[in-house]
Each structure stands twice: as structure tokens, then as C-alpha cells.
Amino acid sequence: MKIAVVGTGYVGLVTGTCFAETGNTVTCVDIDSTKVNKLTNGEITIYEPGLEKLFLRNLKEDRLHFTTDLAAGIKDASIIFLALPTPPGEDGSADLKYILGVASQLGTLLKTDDYKVIIDKSTVPVGTAEKVNAAILESAKKAGVNLTGAFDVVSNPEFLREGVAVDDFMKPDRVVIGTSSEKAKKLMGDLYAPFVRQGNPVIFMDERSAELTKYAANSFLATKISFMNEVARLCELLGADVDMVRRGVGSDDRIGKRFLFPGIGYGGSCFPKDVQALVKSSNEVKYDFKILNAVMEVNETQKLHLFPKIKNYFKGDLKGKHFALWGLAFKPNTDDIREAPALYMIDALTAEGATVTAFDPEAMNNVKKTIGDKITYAENQYAALQGADALIIATEWNEFRTPDFLKIVSTLKNKTIFDGRNLFEVSAIRELGFHYESIGRAPSIIK
Ligand SMILES: NC(=O)C1=CN([C@@H]2O[C@H](COP(=O)(O)OP(=O)(O)OC[C@H]3O[C@@H](n4cnc5c(N)ncnc54)[C@H](O)[C@@H]3O)[C@@H](O)[C@H]2O)C=CC1
Ligand SMILES: O=C(O)[C@H]1O[C@H](OP(=O)(O)OP(=O)(O)OC[C@H]2O[C@@H](n3ccc(=O)[nH]c3=O)[C@H](O)[C@@H]2O)[C@H](O)[C@@H](O)[C@@H]1O
């Protein structure tokens, strides 16, 4: 099949590459000419494990192309994916200007005798497929063309996680397709058939249900995390160990082991914006989604849950203190720093007169572009420790899990660690003589 993917960010590039990998010819369109030039020349623009190899192979096989020209990009395609940003608008609802902007452009480019399926891959509020449909028809009408019947708009939300995006895309738990068109249903079923050979379902439904499925899934996962973060807070107050509670709770199949890890809050480009957008959508129909308001409130405070512990340890005065920070990305195996809890920690520390030297295996360039020399950057995790009064851990990169503690001891000024991801066993690290504080495992309680 010939496919166009409009928007070549995390989702667009993975989508385009993976569809090329199953033999389709894919053209990715992006307005960012720097990005398009790099990709055309074989330079990958995001860090995503396993992606580069597939990207280079399909580029070489001439199945993957990049352009800034929307008209040229969609000309031969029978399927057009929209993988465009849907950032929060001023009021927290999803801003559809990118999606509807491209939809209007498509209205002037589609032909009456060349049927195409337009797919919302972006996370969009309920009713967006109808809006995209109307925007295409309207701009065509202005140009004197009646496109009725020449296209269908389908909702096909994406559930991939950054860091494991290729695996998630190639072997999805499920594929959700919202469409009321039999023609589009057949095309989408054929397109996804190679990805569900192990029997994972392709679930067909109406457009609105598909749109809501995406928000409900992300919001449920965010709820699990905030719930466990509250359990962790309670553990600290009651003298329990959240890691034990997590294992005890997660062993029940009805609850499941995944997404129960407490920490310094959920970040990333999706959970924060999607939970907020679903609350907003609910408000628009006069429904008060009470649980989600609490989920957001817990997450806001959780991002700085370590901060009072740090301040308390330094007797309320952080002025002139210097911290080593391990981890900047919002989670491991990505260079994405959108809504990263580490950035909130940096703001809080520097606002109190402290200085920070950070190390992250992949995200330092993105942080430099955002906050520049507000902090300093180390070339490896141990160099970050030089002269620091304490180590703070914000992201659970694998290489932080079993570090060389002798090196830490010999480089840090004080044997003090504040761990936002519960990487170390409390008793073991105390035996090494560290003052160690983490989440949901109060030092005064766990012996
Ligand atoms: N990042 C993730 O892990 C996931 C994201 N999503 C959703 O997918 C959508 C896209 O997210 P990301 O890929 O993370 O965004 P992104 O910001 O990484 O990429 C968006 C791309 O669209 C391009 N773009 C903007 N306007 C354009 C236009 N008029 N024409 C062509 N290209 C244009 C940008 O230059 C950028 O390259 C969002 O709705 C997001 O919520 C869904 C599942 C996972
Ligand atoms: O819509 C999206 O963009 C995507 O959002 C999330 O994927 P992602 O944001 O890449 O990362 P997650 O692994 O879900 O982690 C999100 C945040 O939750 C935090 N988290 C996750 C799991 C956990 O147990 N505890 C926890 O604090 C992570 O540290 C991270 O900050 C969803 O998992 C994907 O299914 C979805 O497609």
C-alpha cells in the first residue's frame, strides 16, 4: 500500500518506519525542513531503541521517503495518517489547530475520483473525526469541489510507549479502529494484519468510542500511578514499605503488576496533557470527572515529594548547596524531556540558591536547548558527583541501578542519596553508610 504520514515526530516516525517495514511505501511529511533534511540523509531525529536500524533499512530499500511538501507527499497515497501535535490549549483542552489546519489543506488537495482514508493517529477529543471531515469538505467547497464520498476519516489512536515504541507498534496489545465506513474498515484491517498475526485483536468501533478509548486508557494508567503514589505517602506515615505493598497488591491478576511503581510523578508529553484534556471534555458536557481531578492534584505535588525531604536534611537552607542529578528524561530509554519531573526538581533547587550538575545518557542535549546553563552537565554519571552535597535520582536508567558505590563514596562530598525512583534496597545502602531517602520507605521506619 502507499501511505502518507503527516507529522514526523515520535509517533509519525515510528508509524512511518514500521509500516515501511511491512512492505508498504511510506512518505512522511513534516513542516520542519531541518528534520526532513536530516531524515532524508539518513540521520535519525529521535532516540528510540531499535528504530534507527529499521529506519536505515527502509530508507535504503526506498520504501521510506521524507518531504515538506504535503501535496507531493499525499499524491499517490491511499491512506493518510495525521500524527500531528495536540498540545494543551490555554484552557487545558486539546488544541486542534495542527490537525484542522492540515485537514483544510487536504480539502484543496484531494480529488473526487481518488478515494483516500484520512486517519487521526494523534490523540484527539471525541468528535474530532467529525471536525476533520467537516474541515476537509468545507475547504474543498470553497474551492468549488464536492468531495462527498471521496474520502473517509478514521480514528486509529496510538498506544505506543516511548522507549519501547518499535516493539509496541510491531506487536500491539490491540489495534483500535473507529470507523463507520465498510470501505475504510477493509483497508485498515488489511494494513494492520501483519501486526496482529499472534492473535491480538483489531477492535473496530465507531469513531467517538475510539477517540474516547485513547483518553480512557491513558487516564486509567495515570490513575494507577497516582493511586500508588498516595499509597507510598501513606506508607511513609504508617511505617510500611511501598515496594512490599506493590508486590503484594500487583500479584492479584485483577490488578496486575505493571504501572504500580511509585516515584516523583508521571511526566511525558501524554499523561499530563491527556488527563487534563479528558477532564476538560467532561466539563464541556457538564460532567465532573472527580477521580481525574484528584489524579492530577496528586501528580502535581508528587513531582516535588522529595524536595521537603532534601530541604529538611539540609536544615531548611539550600543556599550554596550543590547537587548531582542522575536522570533528566521523563523516563528511561528516551531523550524526551516533556513534563519531566527532573525539570521541576531543578527549578525548585535553583530557586532556593542551590546549584546542580546533571547527567543523562540521552536527554542532555534537549535540556541544554531548553534551560541552557541554568545547570551544568557532566560527561558521565560519576563526573556529576564531583563536589556535590548529595545525589538526587530522577530517572531509572538501567545504568543507575547497580552503580559503583565505592566511586560514589569517593566522589560525593556527603554520603547522601535522595532517590525518586526507589532504585536501591534500603537496608543494603544503609549498610554502606549512606543517608538514603526514597519514596514510600521512610528512613526512620525501615530498619
Ligand atoms: N509521543 C508518544 O509517545 C505518543 C504520542 N501520541 C499522540 O500523537 C500525537 C503526536 O505526538 P508526538 O509524535 O509525540 O509529537 P511530536 O511533537 O514529536 O511530533 C509532531 C510533528 O508534527 C510536525 N508538524 C507540526 N505541524 C505540522 C504540519 N502542519 N504539517 C506537517 N508536520 C507538522 C512537527 O514538526 C513534529 O515533527 C499527539 O497527539 C500525541 O498525543 C500518541 C501515542 C504516543
Ligand atoms: O499516549 C501516549 O503518548 C502514551 O503515553 C504513555 O506512554 P509514555 O508517556 O511514553 O510512557 P509511560 O511508560 O507510560 O510512562 C509515563 C510516565 O509515568 C511514569 N510511571 C510509569 C509507570 C509506573 O509504574 N510509574 C510511573 O511513575 C513514568 O516515569 C513516566 O513519567 C502510555 O503508556 C502509552 O500507552 C501511550 O501511547
Side-chain angles (χ1 to χ4, degrees):
M1 286 185 216
K2 291 208 164 54
I3 297 171
V5 180
V6 188
T8 314
Y10 282 89
V11 170
L13 188 57
V14 172
T15 302
T17 304
C18 292
F19 280 131
E21 180 65 14
T22 51
N24 301 291
T25 303
V26 181
T27 304
C28 295
V29 183
D30 205 287
I31 40 162
D32 182 339
S33 55
T34 313
K35 200 177 263 192
V36 167
N37 285 338
K38 280 187 181 168
L39 291 164
T40 304
N41 292 316
E43 191 184 331
I44 195 128
T45 44
I46 53 170
Y47 173 76
E48 188 57 51
L51 183 63
E52 190 169 20
K53 193 172 146 213
L54 298 194
F55 160 75
L56 290 174
R57 178 161 64 217
N58 286 287
L59 202 62
K60 189 164 156 262
E61 296 296 332
D62 209 26
R63 285 195 295 260
L64 192 55
H65 308 99
F66 298 92
T67 179
T68 52
D69 183 348
L70 182 67
I74 64 141
K75 192 169 156 284
D76 297 326
S78 52
I79 296 178
I80 304 170
F81 280 94
L82 305 183
L84 294 155
T86 48
E90 264 170 39
D91 64 354
S93 59
D95 187 345
L96 292 179
K97 69 171 178 241
Y98 299 96
I99 300 275
L100 296 179
V102 171
S104 296
Q105 281 178 271
L106 289 177
T108 63
L109 299 172
L110 300 188
K111 307 260 182 300
T112 45
D113 57 353
D114 181 17
Y115 175 80
K116 294 187 198 293
V117 177
I118 321 297
I119 299 151
D120 287 336
K121 190 54 135 172
S122 301
T123 302
V124 290
V126 174
T128 301
E130 289 149 47
K131 287 185 182 164
V132 169
N133 196 64
I136 295 173
L137 286 177
E138 201 182 317
S139 74
K141 195 170 156 199
K142 277 189 194 148
V145 180
N146 182 358
L147 283 179
T148 309
F151 69 96
D152 281 306
V153 179
V154 169
S155 165
N156 169 220
E158 180 50 55
F159 299 98
L160 66 78
R161 289 160 299 164
E162 290 178 21
V164 280
V166 172
D167 257 16
D168 280 353
F169 198 95
M170 297 302 285
K171 289 176 260 166
D173 284 347
R174 81 305 208 181
V175 174
V176 169
I177 296 172
T179 180
S180 38
S181 152
E182 283 304 318
K183 210 166 161 184
K185 188 174 169 184
K186 167 84 178 63
L187 211 60
M188 295 300 287
D190 291 347
L191 178 66
Y192 274 107
F195 299 88
V196 290
R197 291 177 60 242
Q198 286 175 344
N200 289 346
V202 178
I203 308 170
F204 290 101
M205 56 183 82
D206 63 277
E207 296 83 344
R208 287 182 164 247
S209 302
E211 289 164 342
L212 187 54
T213 299
K214 173 64 194 179
Y215 281 103
N218 271 5
S219 299
F220 187 78
L221 292 168
T223 303
K224 264 184 123 173
I225 298 168
S226 275
F227 180 84
M228 274 319 276
N229 281 333
E230 286 219 276
V231 171
R233 292 182 197 180
L234 203 54
C235 283
E236 290 178 7
L237 297 170
L238 294 178
D241 179 346
V242 73
D243 280 340
M244 293 299 121
V245 177
R246 174 178 58 74
R247 286 165 65 183
V249 167
S251 304
D252 184 329
D253 274 350
R254 293 171 301 173
I255 296 171
K257 296 183 178 60
R258 299 167 74 188
F259 273 77
L260 292 181
F261 288 85
I264 44 174
Y266 60 76
S269 66
C270 291
F271 284 176
K273 88 169 165 57
D274 292 347
V275 174
Q276 196 184 22
L278 186 53
V279 167
K280 198 69 205 163
S281 291
S282 309
N283 292 346
E284 277 162 17
V285 287
K286 303 203 168 12
Y287 184 72
D288 178 16
F289 208 137
K290 294 189 187 64
I291 291 178
L292 291 187
N293 280 311
V295 167
M296 290 193 292
E297 198 184 316
V298 169
N299 199 55
E300 272 318 294
T301 45
Q302 194 68 18
K303 286 182 215 162
L304 289 177
H305 186 64
L306 273 185
F307 191 65
K309 300 183 192 214
I310 298 171
K311 212 168 157 185
N312 193 30
Y313 178 76
F314 288 103
K315 304 195 169 39
D317 185 11
L318 296 180
K319 203 157 191 292
K321 294 282 179 287
H322 181 62
F323 292 92
L325 178 62
W326 282 4
L328 292 167
F330 82 95
K331 63 178 225 176
N333 300 320
T334 180
D335 59 356
D336 197 338
I337 56 160
R338 292 179 281 187
E339 292 291 318
L343 300 182
Y344 289 85
M345 181 60 78
I346 289 171
D347 279 348
L349 292 169
T350 52
E352 301 258 341
T355 51
V356 176
T357 297
F359 172 74
D360 187 284
E362 295 295 337
M364 289 199 292
N365 278 341
N366 283 341
V367 173
K368 278 180 201 164
K369 279 186 227 154
T370 316
I371 61 167
D373 59 7
K374 187 171 185 174
I375 59 169
T376 51
Y377 305 88
E379 61 187 31
N380 62 57
Q381 68 196 79
Y382 299 106
L385 304 170
Q386 201 69 48
D389 292 285
L391 165 63
I392 300 170
I393 300 172
T395 316
E396 66 277 34
W397 284 92
N398 264 341
E399 60 219 82
F400 301 158
R401 286 182 187 276
T402 44
D404 182 341
F405 282 107
L406 288 180
K407 260 192 192 169
I408 298 183
V409 170
S410 62
T411 324
L412 264 186
K413 242 163 56 184
N414 298 311
K415 288 165 85 173
T416 306
I417 299 179
F418 297 96
D419 179 358
R421 299 293 172 185
N422 286 5
L423 295 192
F424 310 128
E425 181 144 352
V426 180
S427 52
I429 196 152
R430 291 254 190 75
E431 267 167 35
L432 294 170
F434 280 93
H435 175 87
Y436 177 65
E437 297 197 42
S438 51
I439 309 285
R441 307 181 296 175
S444 54
I445 291 159
I446 298 172
K447 298 283 180 278

